[in-house]
Amino acid sequence: MPNSKPPAPLHPDLAEVLLTEAQIKARVKSIAREIKAAIGDSEFTIISLINGAVMFTADLMREIDNPVRLDCIRVSSYGGKTKSIGTPQVIHSLTLDIAQRDVLLIDDILDTGKTLKLVSGLILDLKPASLRTCVLLDKKARREVPIEADFVGFEIPDKFVVGYGLDYAERYRNLPGIGVLRPDKQNSAAWASG
Ligand code: IMP
Ligand code: MG
């Protein structure tokens, strides 16, 4: 962008800023338009994968004027690591009935694909009228399970990112933008020693 200033540092623990608050905001608005173009004006049910998708879900919902219902699913997290290990586990499941409903599943980031695959399967077992998936970030290079989201905010390189809902050991979710965590901050021992 020719006339824009370099982005202000988001946090000292970041090696680089990937997406500023303004960039995310603009893209969230345009994803909402894409969703609207696909779904139309009818009611649908949003299922948000918490905790990571909280900010994205909250912002995206406010850009959509359809009647919507909201439910959340909690899936086991990295637990202080930067690579997913094994199969994700559902810790807290749905409370709404989604049979015959149009469903939009929202996650923060599509990485190996295991989480989206698992949760999509669980939702489809409940016989919704339709299921669409939406992720803010897509790390295509890391895919292990062949799955793509219907709506993708940004494709990003294979780097561990935090901010705007994304965490490392539950930290950094509150940063308004998204950046790459410095390698020396990517181990639990660093946290234990402060
Ligand atoms: P997947 O099952 O490997 O696709 O991983 C998806 C989940 O891993 C997301 O819901 C995120 O919570 C988490 N995740 C993947 N990559 C990152 C990252 O770079 N930063 C923070 N969390 C991540
Ligand atoms: Mg996470």
Side-chain angles (χ1 to χ4, degrees):
M1 280 182 284
N3 292 321
S4 63
K5 284 187 251 161
L10 270 179
H11 192 286
D13 292 356
L14 299 183
E16 64 180 295
V17 174
L18 274 191
L19 297 164
T20 64
E21 186 177 5
Q23 286 172 316
I24 296 171
K25 202 170 181 153
R27 185 65 185 115
V28 167
K29 278 184 195 291
S30 63
I31 300 170
R33 285 196 293 272
E34 289 173 24
I35 291 171
K36 189 90 187 164
I39 299 188
D41 295 326
S42 57
E43 180 180 280
F44 62 95
T45 303
I46 292 174
I47 299 180
S48 177
L49 277 158
I50 54 172
N51 293 337
V54 278
M55 299 236 186
F56 180 41
T57 303
D59 287 346
L60 188 61
M61 279 180 82
R62 278 177 288 187
E63 298 296 334
I64 291 170
D65 57 7
N66 297 46
V68 292
R69 304 190 306 160
L70 173 68
D71 206 347
C72 298
I73 297 186
R74 183 185 294 273
V75 176
S76 58
S77 76
Y78 287 4
K81 308 259 182 331
T82 56
K83 300 269 186 255
S84 75
I85 320 143
T87 314
Q89 307 283 323
V90 173
I91 297 172
H92 182 75
S93 202
L94 295 174
T95 53
L96 291 181
D97 182 4
I98 55 162
Q100 304 306 319
R101 303 289 187 145
D102 291 312
V103 173
L104 179 69
L105 174 61
I106 302 181
D107 201 4
D108 52 359
I109 184 166
L110 183 50
D111 187 34
T112 64
K114 291 178 190 170
T115 304
L116 206 64
K117 179 81 189 170
L118 170 85
V119 176
S120 297
L122 294 174
I123 291 172
L124 289 172
D125 287 346
L126 298 170
K127 308 274 180 256
S130 67
L131 171 63
R132 292 178 177 89
T133 53
C134 174
V135 294
L136 179 66
L137 307 176
D138 186 355
K139 257 193 227 176
K140 272 203 191 312
R142 300 230 331 133
R143 202 77 89 253
E144 291 177 24
V145 178
I147 187 165
E148 299 301 331
D150 296 303
F151 307 99
V152 174
F154 302 93
E155 266 190 47
I156 62 160
D158 181 10
K159 292 177 177 177
F160 191 79
V161 295
V162 295
Y164 195 70
L166 292 123
D167 74 306
Y168 173 69
E170 291 304 321
R171 274 77 166 203
Y172 310 109
R173 292 197 198 273
N174 55 329
L175 301 183
I178 292 172
V180 178
L181 189 61
R182 267 170 40 198
D184 61 300
K185 295 290 172 185
Q186 293 186 21
N187 68 77
S188 322
W191 283 112
S193 63

